[in-house]
Amino acid sequence: MSTLKPPLGPRDHLRGELSRPIHLVEFGDYECPFCGQAQIVVRALERALGDQLCFGFRNFPIVGAHPNAQIAAEAAEAAGAQGEFWAMHDLLYDNQHALDVPHLGRYAEQLGLDMHRFVDDLQAHRHLEKIRSDRHSGAISGVAGTPTFFINGIRHEGPFDFDSLLAAMTLAARFPRAG
């Protein structure tokens, strides 16, 4: 059984409070088609579980298979530095077919980001260390591909469809979180 290292915490991008009884963490790659499918499931789980769920996301770009995954992750982090991580996160998954730098700039403009700061962050790779830290967390937690989910600190080994994840999360809510 693989556990999440380090546990979900304030350094992570979170939708929901850490005090909520169910923690779902995804290691994802913005260019991975399976991660794109998983976002539909995660959104449905968030609607179904409401204030019971804290969802966290960690970057795990697989650059050998997805050439735009790294820069997309950097764009999400650059947007996050301006308070718009989740808006950019959702745009990236909704537009997986268009993750090159010109499109990333259009998404940043759409979100009303400070474009000088956004472009400077990308050119300087200002958020690369955060992405490397997320990737390292995945590596030491046993992540080999994307998407990989952890429920209350334990790696989910089953399918990532709505019913499977909901059942695992409902069961996990009965026990203390790992970590």
Side-chain angles (χ1 to χ4, degrees):
M1 167 174 63
S2 295
T3 59
L4 181 64
K5 300 173 192 93
L8 191 63
R11 69 171 279 287
D12 291 297
H13 296 291
L14 304 173
R15 275 203 280 228
E17 301 297 320
L18 284 169
S19 60
R20 293 181 176 180
I22 303 170
H23 289 181
L24 178 66
V25 176
E26 177 188 358
F27 283 89
D29 172 323
Y30 290 110
E31 204 168 7
C32 167
F34 302 110
C35 292
Q37 293 169 6
Q39 291 318 294
I40 297 165
V41 173
V42 168
R43 290 173 187 161
L45 289 166
E46 287 176 310
R47 285 190 301 274
L49 294 168
D51 63 3
Q52 297 297 303
L53 178 64
C54 176
F55 174 62
F57 182 84
R58 292 185 183 171
N59 293 290
F60 201 83
I62 302 174
V63 295
H66 306 128
N68 292 313
Q70 180 75 37
I71 194 68
E74 290 185 58
E77 293 297 334
Q82 296 187 45
E84 294 292 341
F85 174 82
W86 289 110
M88 181 64 85
H89 170 89
D90 292 343
L91 274 173
L92 296 174
Y93 275 123
D94 290 343
N95 295 282
Q96 284 189 297
H97 61 283
L99 297 178
D100 56 6
V101 172
H103 282 96
L104 298 176
R106 286 188 207 120
Y107 306 146
E109 287 175 346
Q110 183 178 335
L111 295 175
L113 299 182
D114 174 332
M115 290 305 295
H116 177 73
R117 182 175 168 196
F118 179 81
V119 169
D120 187 54
D121 281 357
L122 291 186
Q123 289 176 341
H125 301 286
R126 190 155 288 121
H127 304 285
L128 190 56
E129 189 52 41
K130 166 72 167 78
I131 295 162
R132 286 180 178 153
S133 175
D134 283 358
R135 191 154 170 71
H136 177 72
S137 166
I140 63 173
S141 299
V143 174
T146 59
T148 296
F149 290 98
F150 286 77
I151 299 170
N152 284 1
I154 305 294
R155 188 172 65 201
H156 174 68
E157 300 290 349
F160 59 86
D161 62 276
F162 179 86
D163 291 333
S164 298
L165 280 172
L166 182 61
M169 291 164 56
T170 302
L171 179 63
R174 297 181 188 169
F175 301 99
R177 285 190 285 273

